[in-house]
């Protein structure tokens, strides 16, 4: 407003400034939050050659107050299996609230990854917003057709440094660290064992 457009009824009020005027700009800063990380084992007792999208661990994530934003997650390979026999490592988001991995329904939210030197950093396809309600994410493996029978395989998340947050003011708190799944034992798929047994039985009958 221009100076002559404002009138004062109190003669004691004076204006020594100039018009028009505006305040300085203030940055809107997110309130620091804490990302709470819990987990539940999902590794099966046996994992089969050529399996895909096998859930190994469920991550239960929530923000303490409002929201946190995750951009990447570092995973550690556990067990005796070699890196090359896990050609695919991925993260799915539980989109229907079942609490279990359903690859045809749940959303694949990570870029493709594979272990190198026993670890992998998976980048999320888009920043994941974690609310103050529990959000479920699954770490899943693809297993090579050539994986050695009897080898063991699992997954781990070492500590808070394994979680990359978009906002540098937020912190990460593990309910229990490190996170480690059970170990699954590599085996031949049941259908393959059945066909082999049937073939052996036929040979013995002749």
């Amino acid at each position: 407003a221009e100076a002559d457009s404002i009138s004062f009824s109190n003669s004691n009020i004076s204006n020594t400034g100039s018009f028009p005027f505006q305040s300085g700009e203030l940055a809107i800063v997110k309130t620091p939050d804490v990302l709470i990380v819990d987990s539940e084992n999902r590794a099966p007792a046996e994992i089969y050659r050529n399996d895909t999208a096998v859930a190994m661990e469920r991550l239960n994530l929530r923000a303490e107050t409002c929201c946190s934003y995750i951009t990447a997650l570092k995973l550690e390979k556990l067990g005796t299996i070699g890196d090359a026999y896990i050609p695919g490592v991925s993260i799915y988001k539980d989109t229907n609230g079942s609490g279990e991995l359903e690859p045809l329904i749940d959303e694949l939210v990570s870029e493709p990854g594979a272990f190198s030197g026993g670890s992998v950093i998976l980048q999320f396809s888009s920043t994941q917003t974690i609310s103050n309600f529990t959000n479920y994410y699954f770490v899943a493996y693809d297993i090579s057709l050539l994986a050695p029978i009897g080898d063991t395989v699992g997954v781990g998340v070492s500590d808070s440094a394994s979680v990359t947050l978009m906002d540098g003011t937020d912190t990460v708190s593990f309910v229990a660290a490190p996170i480690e799944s059970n170990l699954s034992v590599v085996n031949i798929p049941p259908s393959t064992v059945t066909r082999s047994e049937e073939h052996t039985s036929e040979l013995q009958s002749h």
Side-chain angles (χ1 to χ4, degrees):
E2 298 298 332
D4 58 6
S5 67
I6 300 177
S7 61
F8 299 98
S9 60
N10 190 331
S11 59
N12 292 324
I13 298 177
S14 62
N15 170 49
T16 57
S18 59
F19 290 84
F21 66 89
Q22 64 181 30
S23 69
E25 295 183 354
L26 295 176
I28 299 175
V29 179
K30 176 183 174 295
T31 302
D33 212 329
V34 179
L35 175 69
I36 299 173
V37 181
D38 200 358
S39 66
E40 289 186 30
N41 175 67
R42 285 296 183 272
E46 291 187 321
I47 196 166
Y48 302 118
R49 285 178 164 182
N50 214 32
D51 266 354
T52 58
V54 180
M56 300 300 294
E57 191 78 3
R58 189 180 79 186
L59 301 177
N60 310 329
L61 311 178
R62 69 176 179 87
E64 187 174 61
T65 304
C66 169
C67 44
S68 289
Y69 306 95
I70 303 180
T71 59
L73 181 65
K74 182 179 180 181
L75 302 172
E76 310 293 338
K77 176 179 65 66
L78 304 179
T80 59
I81 196 168
D83 290 349
Y85 299 113
I86 309 175
V89 186
S90 53
I91 299 175
Y92 287 82
K93 180 179 181 180
D94 184 7
T95 54
N96 64 354
S98 69
E100 301 298 334
L101 175 58
E102 299 170 89
L104 298 180
I105 298 174
D106 293 331
E107 180 183 4
L108 176 62
V109 293
S110 70
E111 300 293 340
F115 287 111
S116 176
S119 66
V120 60
I121 297 176
L122 293 183
Q123 302 290 333
F124 287 100
S125 305
S126 60
T127 300
Q128 298 297 297
T129 301
I130 308 301
S131 68
N132 57 357
F133 295 96
T134 301
N135 304 253
Y136 294 142
Y137 288 81
F138 301 96
V139 178
Y141 280 177
D142 296 342
I143 301 298
S144 168
L145 180 63
L146 302 177
I149 303 300
D151 272 10
T152 56
V153 55
V155 68
V157 183
S158 296
D159 52 33
S160 59
S162 301
V163 182
T164 303
L165 301 179
M166 184 179 72
D167 193 318
T169 64
D170 284 3
T171 56
V172 179
S173 176
F174 276 48
V175 173
I179 290 173
E180 293 185 346
S181 74
N182 292 348
L183 295 179
S184 302
V185 178
V186 177
N187 206 342
I188 300 171
S191 58
T192 305
V193 173
T194 300
R195 287 197 297 270
S196 176
E197 290 174 346
E198 289 176 349
H199 180 64
T200 302
S201 177
E202 289 175 359
L203 290 176
Q204 291 174 344
S205 65
H206 291 301

